[in-house]
Amino acid sequence: MIELDTPALIIRKSIMKDNLMKMQKYADSKNINLRPHTKAHKTPYLANMQIELGASGICVSKLSEAEIMAEHGIKDILITTPIASSVKFKRLVELQKNFPSLVLYQVVDSAYHVEQIDSFSKDKSVIINLVVEVEAGQKRCGLIPDENLKNLIDLINQKEHVNFCGIQAYSGHLQLVQNYESRLSEAAQALNPIKRFFKDYKIEKNEIIISGAGTGTFYASDNSFFSEIQCGSYIFMDKAYKEIMKPNDSDNINFGNSLMVLSTVISKPAHNRLVIDAGMKSLSIDHGMPSVFDLKGVTYRCGGDEHGILDIEDESMNLNIGDQVLLIPSHCDTTLNNFDDMYLLDDNDKIVKSLKISGRGCSQ
Amino acid sequence: MIELDTPALIIRKSIMKDNLMKMQKYADSKNINLRPHTKAHKTPYLANMQIELGASGICVSKLSEAEIMAEHGIKDILITTPIASSVKFKRLVELQKNFPSLVLYQVVDSAYHVEQIDSFSKDKSVIINLVVEVEAGQKRCGLIPDENLKNLIDLINQKEHVNFCGIQAYSGHLQLVQNYESRLSEAAQALNPIKRFFKDYKIEKNEIIISGAGTGTFYASDNSFFSEIQCGSYIFMDKAYKEIMKPNDSDNINFGNSLMVLSTVISKPAHNRLVIDAGMKSLSIDHGMPSVFDLKGVTYRCGGDEHGILDIEDESMNLNIGDQVLLIPSHCDTTLNNFDDMYLLDDNDKIVKSLKISGRGCSQ
């Protein structure tokens, strides 16, 4: 019995700490920087823990997340998504102005971004670091590595109030590819056009940031192309990521599920069906159904916004109204974004700390 | 140009008001109570607006939503989901104690709920109104209408600190059935076993609440079985509901899409592809992709937690970085739960009011 009202978001502290240390150890062994993507946890306390363990900085998706992280003492932040309105350009420049010692990078992929940011930063007499997003197979944001990319880099170099710092090459489309070997070979291949670009235009890659890779593809950094890896989900390991990890991992990077949703059985209308108090407003289903922790023959089915339905194979199972159940989210990021707080538990299920998810809802 | 940072949740006020009035008019014409389900909007201001227009009370899914609504002056609340822990039983009883004039109903479906609530309410010298959930085809919570249901009603009647007030029969599984005629006939059929139960056990249905129906099935109340309808989504009408409404509606209940997500184009990496700043953390995809408002040949694709990808049929379309786009959520409830605030706009796109979504995240 965990002493929390439900649904509640809990973290097994020792498993999380172990995940953090394993990834840092991996990065250290490859002599590569670890810049964790904090959209997975959106929590300054956890970002600071990652920095203390050796991370060189963090990634955030949104400017509002960067503002919160800076306010909580993080000193090196990469915003991985372009911004494109006066309100946002102004806020970006003000963030740099308000935290002069903050090393802040904004991702861009067009002349529009560069011109606008340069103009706003000129007004406030600051210089903004830019990282150019390059297409790496995902077909989302990012320039194809050809003359247009070179022109954009040249434009940044011509401007006085922005600073070209490197590229971002994130192969998001490969993160959940099922077969481990093909995932890694595809991740390596996706970088070939970018490598060719560096060669063709004689860009010295040692002097710049090359940022990319995620929890599904970071092994691809073995090729030493990246100067830093952006993995985020490894801190929690949701069901989707856990299912595709490297089998029989000789490097011992077997990350564990550290994040779960605690729920209560609220109804038992049939011998083979129970209803719990966690539905889509607690457990996201965009990456499939969550799995039920530690109960064999029990599967979760979505029962709407506020209900989860548990189908029971063994009808003699002693699970009743009022009992607690733990669920492993299929997708941590979107599940976590439903909650305001999470709770760190020790190995005896005692709550050792409650954490406010300060970045919850920071989509702006 | 709507003067809001993005992504932002907006409401077209006149369309919303029109939806509210149409549903109230329908309920009045059928001499049935309208008890809107407020999990759709989670906002006391809108609940109060529904009451002012004639709603008899409201529904909420969770106790925490009930607490917020009571604090904001709502006087008649039905909690449509069973609760099952000491913490929750205590909170329920305290809510009634703190608001003595509040007419509060809690849905239950087992002797456990009844015994527990009776015991906790005895301790605080209050009486809690109970509504029994009955299976109406959804196979979620709810007792099959047979002797067990009769026994539960008898148990409630035997207890001193709970009060039997009626039944809830919600056919959630039918809300999004595509064919209009089959949806309604199935909704009517789902009630047959319950009608039989009332007849068999000679329960006088005029003296109790019979609560049910949603935006997809409320027409089924034509049969006058329900004493009140629980529709919620009609206030906003998401893409999923709008697509299945009655064609050529002779009763003129053509609800409009009043809720949208305002987003900004942040990248245009190809002539036929734009990226906007609203992904899964702003627009839920549990009921499919949102649709793009008022732009022909433009379709939305999910681009991850924070990105939406717009595919453009006509490559000459003049849509560029920095432009605003409006999206119609596929599922309003889970989309709204991502935001802390929403904005009411008049017909000229001027912001007339900002509303705090006080029930956002209230899953407990």
Side-chain angles (χ1 to χ4, degrees):
Chain A
M1 178 80 184
I2 298 173
E3 294 200 346
L4 280 170
D5 198 1
T6 62
L9 202 63
I10 66 142
I11 303 176
R12 305 281 193 191
K13 195 184 171 185
S14 58
I15 298 175
M16 178 190 73
K17 199 82 186 278
D18 195 51
N19 289 345
L20 294 183
M21 291 193 301
K22 278 174 178 165
M23 187 64 94
Q24 188 62 53
K25 197 178 152 197
Y26 171 85
D28 292 345
S29 75
K30 301 291 176 189
N31 203 19
I32 200 169
N33 284 327
L34 173 60
R35 179 189 288 282
H37 210 312
T38 61
K39 79 185 173 78
H41 59 67
K42 291 173 167 272
T43 307
Y45 179 87
L46 298 180
N48 274 307
M49 194 182 272
Q50 288 170 315
I51 299 279
E52 275 161 35
L53 288 171
S56 61
I58 62 162
C59 296
V60 296
S61 287
K62 294 291 177 101
L63 185 48
S64 48
E65 292 174 345
E67 288 163 345
I68 281 169
M69 290 297 179
E71 282 161 20
H72 285 84
I74 304 288
K75 304 240 175 292
D76 196 310
I77 303 173
L78 168 65
I79 303 172
T80 59
T81 312
I83 54 172
S85 66
S86 322
V87 182
K88 289 252 171 35
F89 293 132
K90 209 180 237 172
R91 274 169 55 197
L92 177 73
V93 167
E94 271 164 14
L95 178 61
Q96 185 65 83
K97 185 99 185 166
N98 294 340
F99 296 90
S101 67
L102 170 65
V103 183
L104 178 68
Y105 304 92
Q106 172 63 53
V107 161
V108 297
D109 73 355
S110 80
Y112 179 88
H113 300 132
V114 175
E115 307 271 9
Q116 291 286 315
I117 295 174
D118 181 67
S119 157
F120 277 85
S121 56
K122 194 172 184 176
D123 283 353
K124 287 273 178 182
S125 312
V126 295
I127 290 170
I128 299 287
N129 296 322
L130 301 183
V131 167
V132 179
E133 180 144 28
V134 180
E135 169 62 41
Q138 184 171 21
K139 292 189 177 147
R140 193 169 63 182
C141 298
L143 284 180
I144 292 168
D146 61 13
E147 205 181 347
N148 288 322
L149 174 58
K150 181 62 170 62
N151 291 342
L152 191 65
I153 294 171
D154 289 345
L155 178 69
I156 298 172
N157 283 328
Q158 283 157 26
K159 298 282 178 186
E160 270 182 51
H161 290 270
V162 290
N163 189 19
F164 174 69
C165 293
I167 64 152
Q168 172 174 277
Y170 181 66
S171 298
H173 63 303
L174 300 175
Q175 297 305 320
L176 291 174
V177 166
Q178 286 299 314
N179 180 284
Y180 175 77
E181 297 303 335
S182 44
R183 190 163 76 254
L184 292 205
S185 87
E186 283 184 53
Q189 276 171 38
L191 300 178
N192 284 339
I194 306 172
K195 288 179 185 171
R196 212 173 304 128
F197 171 83
F198 279 120
K199 210 175 159 189
D200 288 352
Y201 291 92
K202 297 184 179 59
I203 294 172
E204 196 47 74
K205 93 170 201 51
N206 293 334
E207 290 165 17
I208 57 173
I209 286 175
I210 302 181
S211 196
T215 298
T217 58
F218 72 91
Y219 278 87
S221 66
D222 270 1
N223 63 28
S224 303
F225 181 68
F226 293 110
S227 68
E228 58 179 41
I229 49 175
Q230 294 189 350
C231 318
S233 300
Y234 72 97
I235 185 171
F236 298 140
M237 291 308 289
D238 48 43
K239 183 188 165 200
Y241 266 125
K242 184 75 181 163
E243 281 174 359
I244 58 146
M245 278 293 101
K246 191 175 177 181
N248 307 316
D249 189 339
S250 57
D251 295 338
N252 197 27
I253 313 192
N254 292 309
F255 301 102
N257 296 119
S258 66
L259 186 104
M260 298 185 195
V261 170
L262 180 70
S263 180
T264 301
V265 177
I266 54 166
S267 174
K268 191 176 182 176
H271 291 298
N272 58 353
R273 170 167 38 103
L274 294 101
V275 183
I276 61 172
D277 61 3
M280 286 187 287
K281 281 179 185 164
S282 310
L283 286 156
S284 66
I285 57 168
D286 51 77
H287 282 179
M289 293 300 139
S291 59
V292 182
F293 176 69
D294 217 18
L295 289 175
K296 275 190 185 151
V298 183
T299 50
Y300 177 97
R301 203 160 29 101
C302 178
D305 299 348
E306 309 285 5
H307 300 79
I309 300 171
L310 299 184
D311 292 312
I312 311 290
E313 249 175 56
D314 176 4
E315 297 185 15
S316 68
M317 174 173 263
N318 193 21
L319 195 58
N320 291 303
I321 301 180
D323 288 349
Q324 292 183 340
V325 178
L326 281 165
L327 288 303
I328 302 169
S330 55
H331 188 190
C332 284
D333 300 25
T334 45
T335 289
L336 180 130
N337 199 46
N338 291 322
F339 290 88
D340 293 320
D341 306 280
M342 53 187 165
Y343 300 88
L344 261 61
L345 266 57
D346 68 12
D347 294 342
N348 300 314
D349 282 349
K350 289 288 156 219
I351 300 157
V352 289
K353 195 167 185 62
S354 73
L355 292 177
K356 188 166 168 47
I357 308 170
S358 312
R360 202 275 325 146
C362 286
S363 56
Q364 292 189 332
Chain B
M1 178 80 184
I2 298 173
E3 294 199 347
L4 279 170
D5 197 2
T6 62
L9 202 63
I10 65 141
I11 303 177
R12 306 280 195 191
K13 195 185 171 186
S14 59
I15 298 175
M16 177 190 74
K17 199 82 184 277
D18 194 51
N19 289 345
L20 294 183
M21 290 193 301
K22 278 175 178 166
M23 187 64 95
Q24 189 61 56
K25 197 178 151 196
Y26 172 85
D28 291 346
S29 76
K30 301 291 176 189
N31 203 19
I32 200 168
N33 285 327
L34 172 61
R35 178 188 289 283
H37 210 312
T38 61
K39 78 186 174 77
H41 59 67
K42 292 172 166 275
T43 308
Y45 179 87
L46 298 180
N48 275 307
M49 193 183 272
Q50 289 170 315
I51 299 278
E52 275 161 33
L53 288 170
S56 62
I58 63 162
C59 297
V60 297
S61 286
K62 295 291 177 102
L63 185 49
S64 48
E65 293 174 344
E67 289 162 346
I68 281 169
M69 291 297 178
E71 282 161 20
H72 285 82
I74 304 287
K75 305 240 175 293
D76 195 310
I77 303 173
L78 168 65
I79 303 172
T80 59
T81 311
I83 54 172
S85 67
S86 321
V87 183
K88 289 251 171 36
F89 292 132
K90 209 180 236 171
R91 275 169 55 198
L92 177 73
V93 168
E94 271 164 14
L95 177 60
Q96 185 66 82
K97 185 98 186 167
N98 294 340
F99 295 90
S101 66
L102 170 66
V103 183
L104 178 68
Y105 304 92
Q106 172 63 51
V107 161
V108 298
D109 73 355
S110 79
Y112 179 88
H113 299 132
V114 175
E115 307 271 8
Q116 291 286 315
I117 294 174
D118 181 68
S119 155
F120 278 85
S121 54
K122 194 173 183 176
D123 283 353
K124 287 274 177 182
S125 312
V126 294
I127 291 170
I128 299 287
N129 296 321
L130 300 183
V131 166
V132 179
E133 180 145 27
V134 180
E135 169 62 41
Q138 183 172 22
K139 293 189 176 146
R140 193 169 65 182
C141 298
L143 284 180
I144 293 168
D146 61 12
E147 203 180 350
N148 288 322
L149 174 59
K150 182 62 171 64
N151 290 341
L152 191 65
I153 294 171
D154 289 345
L155 178 69
I156 299 172
N157 284 327
Q158 283 156 27
K159 298 281 177 186
E160 272 182 49
H161 290 269
V162 290
N163 189 19
F164 174 69
C165 293
I167 65 153
Q168 172 175 276
Y170 181 65
S171 298
H173 63 303
L174 299 176
Q175 297 304 319
L176 291 174
V177 166
Q178 286 298 313
N179 180 283
Y180 175 78
E181 297 302 335
S182 44
R183 191 163 75 252
L184 293 205
S185 86
E186 283 184 56
Q189 276 171 38
L191 300 179
N192 285 339
I194 307 173
K195 288 179 186 173
R196 211 174 304 128
F197 171 82
F198 278 120
K199 210 174 158 190
D200 288 353
Y201 290 92
K202 297 185 180 59
I203 294 173
E204 196 48 72
K205 93 172 202 45
N206 293 334
E207 289 165 16
I208 57 173
I209 286 175
I210 302 181
S211 196
T215 298
T217 59
F218 71 91
Y219 278 87
S221 66
D222 271 359
N223 63 30
S224 302
F225 180 67
F226 293 111
S227 68
E228 57 178 42
I229 50 175
Q230 294 189 350
C231 319
S233 300
Y234 72 98
I235 185 171
F236 298 140
M237 291 307 289
D238 48 42
K239 183 189 166 201
Y241 266 125
K242 184 76 180 160
E243 281 174 358
I244 58 145
M245 277 294 100
K246 192 176 176 181
N248 308 316
D249 190 339
S250 57
D251 295 339
N252 197 27
I253 313 192
N254 292 308
F255 301 101
N257 296 119
S258 66
L259 187 105
M260 298 185 195
V261 170
L262 180 71
S263 181
T264 301
V265 176
I266 54 166
S267 174
K268 192 177 181 175
H271 292 298
N272 59 353
R273 171 168 36 104
L274 294 101
V275 183
I276 61 172
D277 61 4
M280 285 187 288
K281 282 179 184 164
S282 309
L283 285 155
S284 66
I285 57 168
D286 51 76
H287 282 179
M289 293 299 140
S291 59
V292 182
F293 176 69
D294 216 19
L295 289 175
K296 276 189 186 152
V298 183
T299 51
Y300 177 97
R301 203 160 30 103
C302 178
D305 299 349
E306 308 285 5
H307 300 79
I309 299 171
L310 298 185
D311 292 314
I312 311 289
E313 250 175 55
D314 175 5
E315 297 185 13
S316 68
M317 173 174 264
N318 193 20
L319 195 58
N320 292 303
I321 300 179
D323 288 348
Q324 291 184 342
V325 178
L326 281 165
L327 288 303
I328 301 170
S330 55
H331 188 189
C332 284
D333 300 25
T334 46
T335 288
L336 180 130
N337 199 46
N338 291 321
F339 290 88
D340 292 320
D341 306 280
M342 53 187 166
Y343 300 88
L344 262 60
L345 266 56
D346 67 13
D347 294 341
N348 300 313
D349 282 351
K350 290 289 156 218
I351 301 157
V352 289
K353 195 168 186 61
S354 73
L355 292 177
K356 188 166 168 47
I357 307 171
S358 312
R360 202 278 323 146
C362 286
S363 56
Q364 291 188 331

